[in-house]
Amino acid sequence: MTTVQIGLPLPVLSKDWSAPTESNNTLTAATDRNIEPVGPHFLAHARRKRHKRTFSEDDRI
Amino acid sequence: MSEEESPAERVAIGISFGNSYSSIAYTSGEGKAEVIANEEGDRQIPSILSYVTGEEFQGTQAKAQLVRNAKNTVAYFRDFLGQDFKSIDPTPCHNSAHPLQHESTVAFKIKDKEDDTESTVTVSEITTRHLRKLKNSASDYLGKNVNAAVITVPTNFSDAQKEALSKAAKDAGIEVLQFINEPVAAVLAYDARPEAKLADKNIVVADLGGIRSDVAVIASRGGMYSILATAHDYDVGGAQLDQVLMDYFAKEFLKKWKNGGDPRSDDRASAKLKLESEAVKKALSIGSSANFSVESLSKGFDFTCSINRMRYETISAKVFAAFTRLVLNAVEKAQLDPLDISEIILAGGTAHTPRIASSLASAFPGSTTVLAPSTSPTAINPSELAARGAAIQASLIQEFETEDIEQSTHPMVTVTPHLARAIGVLCISSDESTGVFRHLVEAETPVPVRRTAIIATPREGGDVLVKICEGIRVIKVTKPEPKAKANGKAENDSDDDEDSDESDEEELREKTYKVENVLAEAALKGLSKGAKVELQINVAADLSCTFFAREVGGKVAVRGAWKAPGKA
């Protein structure tokens, strides 16, 4: 996957900012869908899933 | 030999098996998909079988028999496979051998023997004969015995239908490696081109065929495809366009020959009328006028007549509007807006019609690309998309063990959580109401996923805030100020040859994001002037996330994580 280029600048850090202690926010629950078992990227996904590998483990092989 | 071949001995092709036409394709040594022409030079091979004194004809030769030998000609049988007689629609077979109930399946009564005795041939036997012919054509072309294939099927093909097709293929000596959905094959045909770039996009595949039309809305994320919605219509297709032309020519014929009789009321005349109307329709997709000419159309009268594309588009406007409506309905069914669609892929024979592509282009915003021969110079022949996609998939899995293919297509692997909202970063301001949300990961992306972005920083560098949020897409509607028109015109004076009737009241619709949920905040301190920040987000299969932000080429870096939902 190519890297996304974002042209807009990040906000300036305000002076009184402090690192948040534990954030309790999480992602909204996902929906289960079927991926179409087609194409080279799916086959890579299937390989990772069947061998229970992560992206970086897969990259190394 | 129909036993399972060992992976090393497989010669696999892609087959698109349709009600009206079938195609076969292979991938050449360089990994390029090519559609094979059969002995008659056809790449779109009519899915028709015909018997004359025991001799079997297929393809174009069989199609010609629809006039003289309709009762022994079998056509439009694909959808009958694996179905119960009660659930089929026999209408398309009206002008050829009629489907009949036979035990638990559908059969045809035809004279396929030398001594002209009538026999009952089941639809699976017909399919086997058709597939065997396709296999032989491919084997002759490749010089190798083809013994395996990936076959495309519509998205609403039931398991029973797939099983019946698999069995029919096996009887023809073809091991079905995998069934893939027709719209996904079309997307793959485009994505497998060497110049294609991977991008996150929503694609509509409009497969406009002969006797049915299918539309699928597909989320394409990092080369993986998920179908969001599908729509099927058995009342709009190429046959309706043929009908419009048949009616037109029949009326013209009656005007010229008062006592010629209506060619539509006679079986033989109507078969001639249909064949020629289809030829005229195809000619009108290429040229701006076409000639209709049939010798002895009805009661011995010859008939010649010409029609231009403009007239054709006027008389079939209703059918064209139905295509556009079908596509818009499918987008709505996926709970998306036309602005969310970045590409429309037109597939199927009817997609050659220039007017259908231009109507769709005007129904969707300018940001949507319509991939059809008349609207895009890089478009692939719509009739070849499914077969090409199947051939590409066949070349990918040809070497796999049968067991491997089965495991990969199991729901354990294919059913995956998809993100409900987009994940991105807030730019310009730290305030959610004034900041601009830029997404890294789109909604409907299957997890696990890893995405990286390079983000600009304020001109003078210094300390910046990385605020990672969830966003939802909203359609912003603004009414333009009444007087803004005069100056703004100069930019978009493209050659307006279409009927673009932009009224002043037309509202401006825009796609933007609204921040819904702040996930994490992190600070990067002491960035140098003009620095860029690289941000990587990893979402694991259980929705727990890690992120990593660093200055490109610098030493400042920060990482963090948040937990999976329900585990706080």
Side-chain angles (χ1 to χ4, degrees), chain B residues 52-325:
Chain B
V52 183
T53 57
E55 200 181 339
E56 183 183 83
F57 293 100
Q58 290 208 26
T60 308
Q61 286 185 331
K63 195 167 189 173
Q65 294 292 328
L66 279 171
V67 177
R68 292 147 156 239
N69 186 21
K71 291 222 149 47
N72 292 314
T73 304
V74 184
Y76 303 110
F77 56 87
R78 198 271 315 264
D79 280 356
F80 299 162
L81 196 63
Q83 295 250 58
D84 168 46
F85 184 73
K86 280 180 217 105
S87 49
I88 66 162
D89 172 16
T91 329
C93 298
H94 188 68
N95 297 316
S96 55
H98 291 197
L100 306 159
Q101 176 151 22
H102 176 72
E103 288 158 18
S104 64
T105 152
V106 181
F108 299 89
K109 266 210 167 88
I110 44 172
K111 291 176 185 163
D112 63 343
K113 301 262 165 47
E114 217 164 307
D115 54 359
D116 266 358
T117 49
E118 203 163 68
S119 47
T120 306
V121 187
T122 61
V123 66
S124 44
E125 173 59 22
I126 291 285
T127 307
T128 300
R129 290 178 189 179
H130 179 57
L131 292 175
R132 190 179 291 136
K133 176 82 179 157
L134 293 177
K135 168 195 145 113
N136 290 343
S137 299
S139 300
D140 287 349
Y141 180 87
L142 297 172
K144 281 182 273 187
N145 182 34
V146 170
N147 50 26
V150 168
I151 304 183
T152 60
V153 292
T155 49
N156 61 349
F157 229 48
S158 68
D159 287 342
Q161 284 175 291
K162 284 181 195 165
E163 204 173 295
L165 180 51
S166 179
K167 196 179 164 297
K170 199 172 177 196
D171 292 342
I174 301 170
E175 180 198 352
V176 179
L177 300 178
Q178 193 187 352
F179 287 115
I180 64 173
N181 286 325
E182 283 166 355
V184 185
V187 179
L188 187 62
Y190 273 104
D191 276 0
R193 294 181 305 172
E195 68 271 27
K197 282 198 189 80
L198 267 189
D200 290 350
K201 55 196 169 186
N202 294 324
I203 306 172
V204 171
V205 181
D207 185 350
L208 313 174
I211 58 164
R212 58 182 287 176
S213 290
D214 306 273
V215 179
V217 183
I218 299 175
S220 165
R221 305 282 184 267
M224 286 200 270
Y225 317 113
S226 316
I227 295 183
L228 302 178
T230 56
H232 308 278
D233 198 323
Y234 299 86
D235 294 318
V236 288
Q240 272 64 40
L241 294 171
D242 296 342
Q243 190 60 48
V244 169
L245 285 171
M246 283 169 74
D247 290 342
Y248 175 78
F249 292 124
K251 279 179 196 148
E252 292 293 305
F253 176 82
L254 283 170
K255 259 189 237 166
K256 192 169 176 199
W257 307 106
K258 296 273 182 321
N259 48 358
D262 192 333
R264 287 168 295 180
S265 58
D266 174 62
D267 279 351
R268 203 167 156 153
S270 129
K272 283 184 180 175
L273 185 64
K274 186 166 167 43
L275 280 182
E276 187 66 8
S277 295
E278 193 185 337
V280 165
K281 177 186 74 176
K282 286 181 182 168
L284 284 171
S285 293
I286 304 159
S288 59
S289 72
N291 268 325
F292 175 96
S293 155
V294 176
E295 266 180 45
S296 177
L297 177 57
S298 173
K299 297 201 175 157
F301 291 106
D302 295 351
F303 184 59
T304 334
C305 171
S306 78
I307 183 169
N308 62 20
R309 195 189 277 175
M310 184 89 87
R311 166 65 59 88
Y312 166 60
E313 287 174 354
T314 317
I315 58 175
S316 32
K318 248 192 191 158
V319 185
F320 293 155
F323 284 124
T324 309
R325 216 163 37 233

Side-chain angles (χ1 to χ4, degrees), chain B residues 21 38 44 243 310 345 376 463 465 496 535:
Chain B
Y21 291 90
N38 70 356
Q44 279 70 53
Q243 190 60 48
M310 184 89 87
I345 295 177
S376 165
D463 302 349
L465 175 68
D496 271 30
L535 174 65

